[in-house]
Amino acid sequence: MATKPETAGRMPGGMHRGRKEGSRTFRQMWKYKALYLISIPGILYFLIFKYIPLGGSVIAFQDYNIFKGFTGSEWVGFAHFAAMFEHYDFLRILKNTVLIGIYDLVIAFPAPIVLAILLNELRLIVFKRILQTVVYMPHFLSWVVIAGMSVAILSPTTGVLNQFLGFFGIEPLYFLGDNSYIRSVLVGSGMWRDAGYGTILYLAALAGINPELYEAAQMDGANRWKQTLRITLPALIPTIMILFLLHMGKFLDFGFERVWVFLNALNTENGEILDTYIYRAGLLSQQYSYTTAVGIFKSLVGLVLVMVGNYLSKKSTGEGLY
Amino acid sequence: MKKWVSLVLTCVLAVGFLAACTGKDESVKGEDKGNTPAEGKTETANEVTKFSISLRTLNFGHVEKSPDINADKWVKKLEELTNADLDIRLVPHKEYEQKMAQMFATNEIPDVVQGQGGVTGKEMAGSVEAGVFMPLDDLLQQYGPNLLKKIPKDAWNRMTYQGKIYGIPEWLGNPSRRATWIRKDLLDKVGLPVPKTVDEYMDVLRAFKKLGVENPYMGRQDFKYADTFFGAYDVFPYLNQFEEVDGQVQPKFLDAEHMMQALTTYKTMYNEGLIHKEFATINPTTFKNTILAGKAGMWSMNANELIQWETQLKQTVPDAKLEIIPSPTGPDGKGGYYMYGDVARAYFINAKYKQPEKIIRFFDWMLSDEAEKFFTFGVEGETFTMNGDQMDYKQPTDSQAVDEERYRQAFLWLIQDTTYNKGSLSLTEEGKNLMSVFDNILANEGRDGIEFEPRLEALKKNPDITPLSDTPPSVLISHMVKMVYGQEPIENWPKVIEEWKSKGGNDVLKEANEKFQKKEGVFLPRR
């Protein structure tokens, strides 16, 4: 606050000023009381459903017993974190999580951008609208349904995909029963489900580009490809950056259900990620404290990634989340 | 500054809100407390027994499809007969253990909680030790004469914690439940006798293959209900399958020689196409549907399902004939599946419940003749008619009615000997056959082992090396499946054992032997 250096010298006057300023703040608030009132439900929501439950994370430092509660359980410090890093499977699961995260970032993240640009190039409005609706559709299917469909499509004996590969003389592949395909299946199924829905924000951004820019470019003799490179993409950069940073925050948060439904004995080695491990160890084996520790680790990595990403983004493009 | 003020404001609001909520709750409880002692004992005798109860859905079609189980007509009838008012809270079959733990954690514990197995099982999440439920010894003496008389001692033993009975068990007279099923019509077609040894079994499967049966042996994910040949070699990698070798207690899968023989059998089946190439991704629904579509020759299932499955199978394949045959025998001349616990379901009464004697009476009624008649045959005029002294019970035929009958006989009848339903089986030829299957085939087979209850601490700590009652530990399962698929040599099994030991198995062995020496929580094999 600007008044701070002045108040430091004269105590009584400072206090007076402080009080005065307080009442000014209050007057300011009173003036915008409607806005503050409107914000209360939102603030309450975050407080009750996000911040208060955050306190529950203390069980990561306890030997939590559901009958003793937070207050009665024994404190064990960082023991669960140590156990996590020493666990023989931890590195494998972390590696899976990171690898799947990277694949998702490199392959699935740009998919909506490409799709949005392609959709944007369509000239027939009716066709564009229909296509948009169709690509949004899979987003509303549940993962259980998608897994069921995938089992049918990817089956080595009856699956469509293997029959198609058969035309080229390729032996049937057991996609869901092989460690080497599971990550592709996981990322691919996510892409199929969400790429279409992800175009919404990009399409909105595309609609906001001034058409005069394209006209001018045409006058200068730029073809469509050049226009896309020089006008469309740069105009999308702010949106891409924001979505990218948000994505980074969820880097280790690939999602539990979408992986769980695809796992079986033949592909867990490469398919198991932190989320599914937390479910298995925490909820199925009731090791609440241990898995909370794993969850906290995951969140911390996410936080660091967002902060680093944001810093780099601000440096390079001037865009940032905060 | 601004932020501070709004934060304080919202905090005040939030706290006020919470206080209002809890305050309300307390006042309701207070009323409850005020009411119960005020009423005299004579009055309470005629009063409706009102309690909430959690029940696992157990994959019963009728239960899972029911829009509101409390409005179900059989529940209503049951309430009429027992002068009770039940508030049934269903717990999804698949997420049972997880939902139970959630229930305890959020402290929304019903008046009666259904567990399964024992007092210290995973699903109980340590609630009995924590004093959530009341000891029942005195109440049973006073109000549960039928229960004490009819329920066998083995089952009560499982319900005992520190010398006190904490739950009322629904028991299992014959713990050998799973059986080897065969399509007798196909077996007759290939002209082979009923197989006995593993080799004879393989010959039958090969003959089925030649006949064009798509799945000579029906496989399933993680070998669940597809573990016939692990039983023949007596190497089930399951929870209650410890054995004593040279004075040391160890899990049966440590017997590398026999484990490798069992795996080789499966591998041969896989290579020759006797088991589905995709069995690693076949889920329970596909498993059942494939069989009911007539595309399987042999499989493993619970014997009590025989008549229902045959009825359903005949809708697609009218000539089909199902039979249960003795399971393949291994080198020791024995075979069979893992044996179930003595307790199927168990009921625990919340320590906070005010009139437990009424619940005991409710459960005691379950073992009365009236209850047996009601659950077995339903209600006169609706599901059966009286012809003088003769009862005329119409056995349902379409699958929906079959589901409903099963639900009444097996789900809603909370306490009984769950081996089989004697009353309804005695009515028909098939039923009598099934009873003889239980008494003559299943009673002579089955693999049991040394069991530790409560579970070993070392197992609790390491979920990856811990087997479930009928699934191998996750450390083993991927090796097992890969070996069958030929992605890993079977000779590696001793290495797999070393891996299991290094990942915490050594602690398990140590603890198991200590407890075995001290005879602490050890249950010896029954057969």
Side-chain angles (χ1 to χ4, degrees):
Chain A
M1 281 164 206
T3 48
K4 234 181 188 167
E6 285 176 54
T7 54
R10 299 177 297 153
M11 273 306 279
M15 272 175 74
H16 185 67
R17 277 182 93 102
R19 212 178 294 147
K20 219 174 169 186
E21 196 183 85
S23 70
R24 211 178 65 204
T25 319
F26 187 75
R27 239 182 294 136
Q28 191 82 355
M29 283 181 69
W30 190 248
K31 193 172 160 196
Y32 298 111
K33 54 185 177 291
L35 288 180
Y36 280 100
L37 206 66
I38 292 169
S39 70
I40 284 178
I43 293 169
L44 273 183
Y45 166 78
F46 279 107
L47 212 65
I48 294 173
F49 292 107
K50 302 282 171 190
Y51 286 97
I52 293 178
L54 215 54
S57 304
V58 295
I59 67 170
F61 305 97
Q62 292 180 327
D63 256 338
Y64 183 62
N65 176 318
I66 51 178
F67 300 101
K68 288 184 190 155
F70 304 123
T71 44
S73 297
E74 198 188 328
W75 292 91
V76 295
F78 284 90
H80 292 295
F81 290 90
M84 171 177 79
F85 290 116
E86 281 161 14
H87 190 267
Y88 49 84
D89 261 350
F90 181 73
L91 274 182
R92 175 177 65 83
I93 295 167
L94 185 65
K95 185 183 135 205
N96 286 343
T97 319
V98 171
L99 271 181
I100 291 176
I102 291 175
Y103 293 161
D104 194 46
L105 192 68
V106 174
I107 299 162
F109 179 74
I113 305 173
V114 177
L115 193 63
I117 294 176
L118 290 176
L119 279 172
N120 197 46
E121 293 297 314
L122 291 174
R123 286 291 157 256
L124 196 63
I125 293 298
V126 184
F127 183 57
K128 186 180 166 186
R129 289 267 178 271
I130 292 174
L131 206 61
Q132 256 178 291
T133 316
V134 171
V135 295
Y136 290 168
M137 220 80 103
H139 177 77
F140 299 99
L141 292 176
S142 86
W143 280 110
V144 182
V145 175
I146 295 176
M149 284 163 56
S150 308
V151 170
I153 293 171
L154 299 175
S155 157
T157 46
T158 53
V160 183
L161 187 60
N162 272 307
Q163 276 168 11
F164 176 73
L165 290 176
F167 289 133
F168 302 100
I170 299 173
E171 287 290 305
L173 298 167
Y174 194 3
F175 289 104
L176 286 175
D178 200 324
N179 269 327
S180 40
Y181 294 112
I182 180 65
R183 292 185 191 135
S184 322
V185 171
L186 290 175
V187 173
S189 60
M191 209 164 98
W192 177 77
R193 181 184 188 255
D194 290 326
Y197 198 73
T199 58
I200 292 184
L201 280 174
Y202 295 115
L203 284 172
L206 285 170
I209 301 175
N210 190 347
E212 282 174 17
L213 289 173
Y214 290 107
E215 279 166 29
Q218 262 166 356
M219 297 291 276
D220 292 340
N223 59 20
R224 293 219 75 90
W225 177 240
K226 287 267 178 206
Q227 287 176 32
T228 309
L229 275 189
R230 309 278 172 197
I231 301 170
T232 318
L233 267 183
L236 277 182
I237 287 288
T239 319
I240 294 176
M241 256 355 262
I242 299 251
L243 288 178
F244 176 78
L245 290 173
L246 288 174
H247 189 97
M248 285 307 282
K250 294 186 296 179
F251 185 72
L252 291 186
D253 241 336
F254 189 67
F256 160 73
E257 202 188 351
R258 58 186 293 190
V259 179
W260 186 252
V261 290
F262 283 105
L263 287 187
N264 62 53
L266 286 174
N267 63 25
T268 13
E269 200 178 314
N270 280 358
E272 177 153 55
I273 61 167
L274 284 171
D275 293 297
T276 52
Y277 179 72
I278 289 175
Y279 174 76
R280 214 158 49 82
L283 289 174
L284 296 185
S285 304
Q286 295 159 2
Q287 302 198 333
Y288 304 108
S289 294
Y290 175 58
T291 44
T292 309
V294 181
I296 288 182
F297 167 75
K298 215 183 73 177
S299 312
L300 278 180
V301 174
L303 184 69
V304 170
L305 284 175
V306 171
M307 287 171 72
V308 171
N310 197 51
Y311 174 78
L312 291 178
S313 157
K314 264 188 178 164
K315 279 265 155 148
S316 55
T317 64
E319 300 286 341
L321 285 174
Y322 50 86
Chain B
M1 271 315 231
K2 253 194 264 172
K3 269 189 202 157
W4 261 108
V5 174
S6 58
L7 196 70
V8 168
L9 267 176
T10 43
C11 280
V12 168
L13 260 172
V15 169
F17 189 70
L18 285 175
C21 283
T22 47
K24 217 188 208 167
D25 226 34
E26 258 164 23
S27 70
V28 171
K29 270 185 206 151
E31 265 171 36
D32 255 4
K33 273 179 205 152
N35 267 346
T36 30
E39 296 187 30
K41 260 196 176 163
T42 42
E43 268 173 310
T44 50
N46 293 323
E47 194 192 301
V48 175
T49 313
K50 199 172 152 107
F51 63 95
S52 55
I53 177 169
S54 70
L55 291 174
R56 185 178 187 177
T57 59
L58 293 168
N59 262 346
F60 276 85
H62 187 83
V63 179
E64 284 176 352
K65 281 179 208 146
S66 162
D68 175 12
I69 195 74
N70 285 307
D72 181 82
K73 92 173 173 206
W74 295 109
V75 173
K76 292 272 174 223
K77 291 257 161 63
L78 170 66
E79 290 177 341
E80 240 170 69
L81 282 169
T82 52
N83 192 26
D85 181 6
L86 273 69
D87 171 13
I88 298 177
R89 301 184 189 161
L90 294 176
V91 187
H93 184 76
K94 259 188 112 173
E95 305 153 302
Y96 176 65
E97 282 169 1
Q98 179 202 339
K99 293 275 172 196
M100 287 284 282
Q102 268 173 31
M103 189 178 88
F104 288 122
T106 53
N107 211 10
E108 280 169 21
I109 308 169
D111 301 327
V112 178
V113 171
Q114 178 235 310
Q116 45 189 53
V119 282
T120 50
K122 229 161 135 190
E123 73 284 351
M124 299 310 291
S127 52
V128 174
E129 291 99 312
V132 174
F133 301 105
M134 60 173 80
L136 305 173
D137 298 76
D138 299 339
L139 288 162
L140 285 168
Q141 289 295 345
Q142 230 177 324
Y143 303 101
N146 283 327
L147 295 169
L148 286 178
K149 201 172 73 196
K150 292 191 183 167
I151 299 175
K153 187 128 193 7
D154 282 342
W156 286 119
N157 280 345
R158 294 271 170 170
M159 294 286 95
T160 309
Y161 174 71
Q162 293 187 342
K164 288 226 155 62
I165 293 173
Y166 277 88
I168 306 171
E170 178 184 46
W171 75 102
L172 197 54
N174 179 355
S176 176
R177 307 284 294 161
R178 295 192 181 180
T180 311
W181 299 33
I182 197 166
R183 282 277 301 278
K184 190 69 187 357
D185 53 319
L186 297 179
L187 187 66
D188 292 342
K189 223 185 247 176
V190 299
L192 285 171
V194 173
K196 287 193 190 75
T197 63
V198 173
D199 289 334
E200 288 171 21
Y201 261 78
M202 296 295 271
D203 289 339
V204 170
L205 293 177
R206 288 187 186 111
F208 280 173
K209 177 85 185 169
K210 241 186 232 160
L211 198 67
V213 180
E214 226 173 277
N215 302 279
Y217 181 82
M218 191 63 210
R220 197 171 127 178
Q221 223 168 38
D222 300 343
F223 296 110
K224 207 167 175 170
Y225 281 99
D227 51 4
T228 314
F229 298 97
F230 291 111
Y233 291 101
D234 198 14
V235 285
F236 284 130
Y238 302 157
L239 195 56
N240 66 357
Q241 300 283 335
F242 279 84
E243 63 181 354
E244 204 182 334
V245 178
D246 305 328
Q248 294 286 308
V249 180
Q250 60 178 51
K252 286 183 179 176
F253 64 83
L254 256 58
D255 177 358
E257 186 200 338
H258 288 125
M259 189 67 185
M260 293 195 291
Q261 283 174 350
L263 287 167
T264 311
T265 311
Y266 277 97
K267 184 157 193 255
T268 316
M269 284 161 62
Y270 175 79
N271 289 344
E272 296 183 19
L274 306 178
I275 190 169
H276 201 291
K277 293 270 180 212
E278 289 163 56
F279 79 85
T281 42
I282 288 181
N283 61 26
T285 322
T286 321
F287 176 83
K288 188 173 179 182
N289 289 345
T290 313
I291 292 171
L292 293 185
K295 289 182 187 164
M298 188 193 291
W299 61 91
S300 140
M301 215 338 93
N302 290 12
N304 55 323
E305 307 264 349
L306 183 69
I307 296 171
Q308 277 95 355
W309 282 45
E310 189 165 48
T311 316
Q312 283 170 314
L313 175 62
K314 276 187 173 159
Q315 287 173 356
T316 39
V317 191
D319 313 327
K321 214 172 148 265
L322 288 185
E323 203 161 282
I324 285 173
I325 58 176
S327 302
T329 53
D332 62 349
K334 290 190 222 159
Y337 297 88
Y338 94 95
M339 282 163 59
Y340 280 50
D342 293 303
V343 175
R345 295 188 283 184
Y347 306 90
F348 299 85
I349 302 178
N350 196 322
K352 287 184 190 140
Y353 194 73
K354 290 288 172 268
Q355 300 163 299
E357 69 279 358
K358 300 181 109 183
I359 295 183
I360 300 280
R361 279 209 200 102
F362 172 83
F363 282 121
D364 197 57
W365 176 83
M366 290 274 165
L367 292 178
S368 67
D369 294 343
E370 187 191 12
E372 188 175 337
K373 191 172 164 196
F374 166 69
F375 289 117
T376 313
F377 301 114
V379 173
E380 187 174 352
E382 231 175 282
T383 44
F384 71 88
T385 46
M386 289 306 271
N387 231 341
D389 267 359
Q390 275 287 315
M391 177 184 283
D392 190 12
Y393 178 65
K394 259 194 74 172
Q395 211 116 42
T397 45
D398 72 288
S399 59
Q400 218 174 344
V402 170
D403 268 357
E404 191 178 323
E405 184 198 41
R406 267 192 68 204
Y407 148 77
R408 192 186 65 227
Q409 293 180 346
F411 180 86
L412 205 54
W413 195 355
L414 300 174
I415 293 192
Q416 56 173 319
D417 179 355
T418 53
T419 308
Y420 50 67
N421 188 304
K422 206 170 176 180
S424 113
L425 289 185
S426 317
L427 290 179
T428 60
E429 232 11 77
E430 303 142 336
K432 283 179 194 152
N433 277 339
L434 181 55
M435 284 201 285
S436 106
V437 162
F438 271 105
D439 300 338
N440 300 322
I441 295 178
L442 291 180
N444 298 321
E445 64 177 43
R447 297 290 196 182
D448 205 12
I450 298 168
E451 190 186 349
F452 294 94
E453 169 82 44
R455 283 187 311 144
L456 300 174
E457 283 302 318
L459 286 176
K460 273 193 207 165
K461 255 190 239 154
N462 295 297
D464 292 332
I465 61 159
T466 307
L468 302 181
S469 62
D470 66 346
T471 12
S474 56
V475 164
L476 300 188
I477 185 73
S478 38
H479 288 292
M480 288 165 65
V481 179
K482 273 185 193 158
M483 285 174 175
V484 173
Y485 273 86
Q487 297 175 3
E488 194 181 335
I490 290 176
E491 297 77 59
N492 267 2
W493 190 255
K495 278 189 205 157
V496 176
I497 295 175
E498 286 312 310
E499 186 187 339
W500 180 82
K501 280 185 182 167
S502 71
K503 287 181 171 175
N506 279 326
D507 298 340
V508 173
L509 293 176
K510 202 172 140 225
E511 192 186 341
N513 278 301
E514 271 166 22
K515 286 206 167 157
F516 190 69
Q517 297 304 331
K518 281 192 235 155
K519 297 201 164 38
E520 226 179 70
V522 181
F523 288 83
L524 292 173
R526 289 156 289 181
R527 208 169 272 176

